[in-house]
Structure formats: C-alpha cells, structure tokens
Amino acid sequence: RLEEQVACLDHCDDLEPNHVDTLRRRATALYRLKRFDEALADYLRAHALDPADGNTCNDIGATLTGLRRDAEALTWFAWALALRTPELRGGVPKTLDDVAACFAAIRQVGACAPANADTSNNIGDALVRLGREEESLRWFDLAVELRPGTVLTLTGKARALARLRRRDEAVAAYEHIKRIDPGSADADFGLAHLHLMFGEFEAGWALREARWRLPGLRIVAPEFSAPAWLGEQSVAGRTI
C-alpha cells in the first residue's frame, strides 16, 4: 500500500518539514513506485540535511540509475564508498556503457579513504563486479590488514581468487574462513564450486549440499518421505 504510505508521509512532512527520516521513508516508497524524479527530490533534501549519511548517497545513486542517469550515479556511489557505507545496497551498476568511468570513480574513492577497512572491502567487491579481480586483491588484502579475521572480506578475496582460477590460494582463503567460522555455509558452497570448476566432482558435489544453509537464500530443503541419498551409503531405503 505504497500510495497510502506516501500520502501519510506527505502529511508528516507538512506537520514537520525537513525531517530526515520522513524524507528518506517517502523517497523509498516513491522509488518502489518507480516515481524516480520525486524520490530523487526527497533523497536530495535528506542529503542536504545530513550530508554524512552514506546510505542516502547510495540511494541517490540507485535512483539516478533508475532515471538512466548512470554517469551522475557514479559520483554518488563513490561518495557512499567514501563515507564508509558498510554495504552498497544499490551497488555499482553493471549496465554502464563506460566501465572505465566507473573504475575511475572507484579509484578516486580509494584515494580519499585508503585506510578504512569497510571502504577497502567495498572497493575490492566493486572491482570484482567489474571483472577486475586481479586489482581487487590488494584492496581485500588491505581490508584484512586493517581488520584481521573479517569473514566478509576473506570471502570476497576467495571468490576473486576462484575467478582467477588460482585454486590453491582460493582453497587456502576458504579454509581460513572455516577456521574462523567452522559452520560457514558460504565457505562450503564456495569450496564446492571451486572443486567442481577443477573437475574434483566427488568433493564438489558433497560440499554443494551447503546450499540449503546459505544465509538469505530463499530456498528450503525439500521434505521427502525417505532420507535423502547423498552417495555416502547404500541407496536402499533412501531417495534422490
């Protein structure tokens, strides 16, 4: 009921103009309604009131992308990184025609805040999404140096190494994650794909069962009338 939400927030804005939370909530509702011009106006007002909020910068970038103003969006995504936003919800657009411009913006952010673990990790992640895995590694390494033992950063590095087909280093990175978090489904699933990539099918298919434990993935393990057969025992009394 987004239209009703916008109407309610219009009333709130009349009663208390320039309230950052009201502006952000209305902008988000307008964005979901694809009323991007109106959403952008509210996000810009919120940014003027709280310029240090990296999430607002990120949302402005995402809204500009919705308006197909990708070049302008780059600046706001870069600001979101520079303001040390822990996670870029909109991300760096993959559909930009000028990938070089995107990379230049990311490098500019790196020069602004080179010694922050969150920023370094985000830059590494963005470079991976741009297909620049080799360049991403130094940013992941810097993030690990600044904040050792961060599973999110180690996972990003492991994925970059896997995409570079540097098997042994990727395995070492995933094993490092497992020492920190023995139950990590992301590490098990990453290892599964790595083994499958190199033709190590027995290990790969076994570890791929971790997909049922991946956080945030909207899949549920199916319920069968008999125990599942995973290849480790007799198939008698089991199902596939």
Side-chain angles (χ1 to χ4, degrees), residues 92-112:
V92 177
K94 295 180 181 179
T95 57
L96 290 173
D97 292 330
D98 191 358
V99 174
C102 188
F103 180 55
I106 292 167
R107 288 195 64 178
Q108 183 178 9
V109 170
C112 293

Side-chain angles (χ1 to χ4, degrees), residues 140 150-160 173-174 177 184 186-187:
F140 288 131
T150 303
V151 169
L152 179 66
T153 300
L154 291 168
T155 302
K157 180 180 178 179
R159 289 171 178 165
Y174 281 125
I177 295 168
S184 172
D186 281 324

Side-chain angles (χ1 to χ4, degrees), residues 108-145:
Q108 183 178 9
V109 170
C112 293
N116 176 265
D118 289 329
T119 300
S120 299
N121 179 73
N122 283 338
I123 292 172
D125 180 62
L127 288 169
V128 169
R129 283 180 278 164
L130 289 172
R132 296 175 177 263
E133 291 84 359
E134 191 71 51
E135 295 167 77
S136 76
L137 294 176
R138 74 181 185 93
W139 292 102
F140 288 131
D141 287 340
L142 177 57
V144 171
E145 179 183 336

